[in-house]
Amino acid sequence: MPELTISPEKVTFLIEKAREFDVKEQATDDDSGSNAVDDDMIDVLQDSGDDPVVREITGFINAMTEDEQTDLVALMRLGRGDGDIDEWDDLRREAAGQRDRHTARYLLGEPMLGDLLAEGLDAFGIDWTEGRTTADSSSPSQRDEDEITKQ
C-alpha cells in the first residue's frame, strides 16, 4: 500500500470545508429587497464572491508543502476514478508534473471536491469520519441509543 505525505486530518478538514463550499450557489437576485427571515436565511448559502470559506481553503492549501499539495491533487483524481490505488505513483507523478502555484484554485474548480477527497481516502482504507472536526448534530438521546446498539 502506498503512503501519503499529507495527514488524513488535513484531508478531513478540507473535505468538510469543501462540502461547505459545494452547497453554496451563485447569487441570483442581489436587489430582491426581501426580508432574510422571510426567506429562511437562504442568502447565507449564496456565493457572494468574497467567500470566507474559499479564503480559508486557499490559505490552508497554500500553506502546505509541495508534496502535500501533490498528494491532495492525486487523492482528488483517485476519488474521481482517474486511476486506482495500484496506480497511485502514476497519479502522483501526473499531479506533480501539472502542479502550479494555483493548486487551491484548481481544486476548488472541481465539483464535489469534498466527496472526491473522501473517496480517495477510502481507497487508502482510511476512515476519515473518525476524526471529524464538526459537532454531532444528533440529539443526546439519539447518541445514547447509538452507543447502546454499538455495544
Side-chain angles (χ1 to χ4, degrees):
M1 179 74 67
E3 290 189 27
L4 289 171
T5 59
I6 187 170
S7 73
E9 292 80 16
K10 285 184 178 182
V11 180
T12 297
F13 175 79
L14 283 172
I15 288 169
E16 293 174 357
K17 288 299 173 182
R19 286 181 172 174
E20 283 180 37
F21 175 72
D22 284 342
V23 298
K24 294 187 177 197
E25 57 188 44
Q26 293 293 332
T28 55
D29 187 11
D30 293 331
D31 297 322
S32 68
S34 66
N35 184 331
V37 174
D38 293 340
D39 292 339
D40 296 323
M41 302 299 282
I42 202 72
D43 287 345
V44 170
L45 295 178
Q46 292 183 339
D47 185 4
S48 66
D50 187 26
D51 188 345
V53 175
V54 169
R55 287 195 310 268
E56 188 174 12
I57 291 171
T58 301
F60 190 73
I61 292 172
N62 289 344
M64 291 180 182
T65 67
E66 286 185 30
D67 282 338
E68 288 175 322
Q69 289 183 24
T70 298
D71 271 8
L72 199 56
V73 171
L75 265 176
M76 182 274 298
R77 291 179 178 177
L78 178 64
R80 190 171 63 187
D82 292 357
D84 59 34
I85 196 69
D86 295 328
E87 300 169 308
W88 176 252
D89 291 335
D90 294 333
L91 288 169
R92 200 171 187 293
R93 198 171 9 265
E94 272 182 32
Q98 296 173 347
R99 193 188 168 286
D100 63 12
R101 294 174 301 184
H102 305 291
T103 302
R105 187 177 342 157
Y106 170 72
L107 289 170
L108 285 169
E110 187 66 36
M112 305 302 292
L113 174 63
D115 292 343
L116 297 177
L117 291 173
E119 289 290 325
L121 284 182
D122 288 345
F124 272 89
I126 298 171
D127 181 11
W128 65 274
T129 58
E130 284 184 20
R132 304 237 9 198
T133 58
T134 57
D136 183 355
S137 62
S138 61
S139 67
S141 60
Q142 182 62 46
R143 283 194 299 273
D144 294 341
E145 275 183 40
D146 291 346
E147 287 301 315
I148 291 169
T149 57
K150 285 181 187 177
Q151 297 172 358

